[in-house]
Amino acid sequence: MSSQSEEGARVPDDTGARTTVTQRAIDEIKTRIAMGELAPGQRLPTERDLAADLGLSRSSMREAIRALTVMGVLEARHGAGIYVTQLKPGDLLDTFGVVAEISRGDTLLHLVQVRKILEPAAAAAAAARIDEEGLIRLRAEMTAMERGTTAEEIVGHDLEFHRIITEAAGNPVLAAILGGLNSRTFRARVWRGYREEGVFPRTFREHDEIYRSLIERDPDGARIATAVHIGAVEEWARRQKDDEE
């Protein structure tokens, strides 16, 4: 029987097994948080104690803690140990925001499409909830947009316009998701402002339609006006994707 050379010998790959055990550790910690055994702001047991308690290796527990830290579920405090975060929507969506910020092509288009699904609903909710102060702030952002001299300045006021509306909807999770979608696509929208002729005058008109619906306390009007507005961004993102292919 011929022997296999050292170079050709197969090396056992336990990556899958390690991943499975690490995922079990992640799931165990998440379950304890969900069941209230670990509360927001609480310090975790030491890595050694937690691994022994769950019947897992310290290396798997270390990988699980690292993964949950990246997700924003846990945080490492220098010299103090590992803690459960406050689990606020904005904290948990930070990783998503980073993905949105660097996205292009298909992913950018899909992110805009998610915004098109969620933001009209937020605008409809805001139509019933926004107060006079919120409407005054919206009007101020619209005026600042129209006076802007650069794409960066105009898009900055555009972001604040939409933030005020989603905040008025009264759902902090929805506001965090839409805030991540809007702020992290800032660069793409600035690029659109420089590349697409007439985009800002059209944007101003679309914002005015949204604003009028909010003043009139018209949820359906706010929903439709917002969908039309984001639909224009969607078409631009689709053209960008097609140009890259």
Side-chain angles (χ1 to χ4, degrees), residues 86-213:
Q86 292 302 317
L87 303 178
K88 295 178 181 178
D91 297 334
L92 298 179
L93 289 165
D94 277 346
T95 302
F96 161 75
V98 172
V99 173
E101 188 171 13
I102 62 176
S103 294
R104 52 186 297 176
D106 275 336
T107 303
L108 177 61
L109 175 60
H110 295 157
L111 288 168
V112 173
Q113 289 171 337
V114 171
R115 184 182 167 209
K116 188 180 176 183
I117 293 169
L118 297 178
E119 196 153 344
R129 295 175 51 91
I130 194 166
D131 57 19
E132 192 61 30
E133 180 185 353
L135 291 170
I136 291 171
R137 290 163 62 202
L138 284 179
R139 183 73 257 177
E141 292 303 326
M142 292 167 68
T143 300
M145 267 186 277
E146 294 177 7
R147 292 176 178 172
T149 58
T150 66
E152 288 84 355
E153 184 180 359
I154 294 170
V155 173
H157 290 295
D158 177 282
L159 294 179
E160 183 61 15
F161 176 89
H162 289 285
R163 191 195 66 77
I164 292 168
I165 294 173
T166 56
E167 185 181 77
N171 186 317
V173 175
L174 181 60
I177 292 170
L178 287 171
L181 284 169
N182 283 322
S183 63
R184 296 320 204 281
T185 54
F186 177 85
R187 291 189 184 92
R189 292 158 73 181
V190 168
W191 180 244
R192 179 193 178 207
Y194 282 121
R195 292 291 299 274
E196 187 173 347
E197 186 176 352
V199 63
F200 289 133
R202 185 171 73 245
T203 296
F204 301 154
R205 292 193 297 271
E206 292 164 354
H207 282 183
D208 190 61
E209 289 296 323
I210 297 170
Y211 176 72
R212 289 181 183 278
S213 296

Side-chain angles (χ1 to χ4, degrees), residues 51-98:
D53 187 24
L54 297 178
L56 302 171
S57 68
R58 289 187 65 181
S59 61
S60 295
M61 184 55 60
R62 188 176 305 115
E63 290 180 15
I65 290 172
R66 186 180 300 119
L68 288 167
T69 300
V70 171
M71 293 178 199
V73 175
L74 302 177
E75 63 175 331
R77 299 181 187 175
H78 184 66
I82 305 296
Y83 288 76
V84 181
T85 67
Q86 292 302 317
L87 303 178
K88 295 178 181 178
D91 297 334
L92 298 179
L93 289 165
D94 277 346
T95 302
F96 161 75
V98 172

Side-chain angles (χ1 to χ4, degrees), residues 40 66 76 226 233:
R66 186 180 300 119
T226 303
V233 182

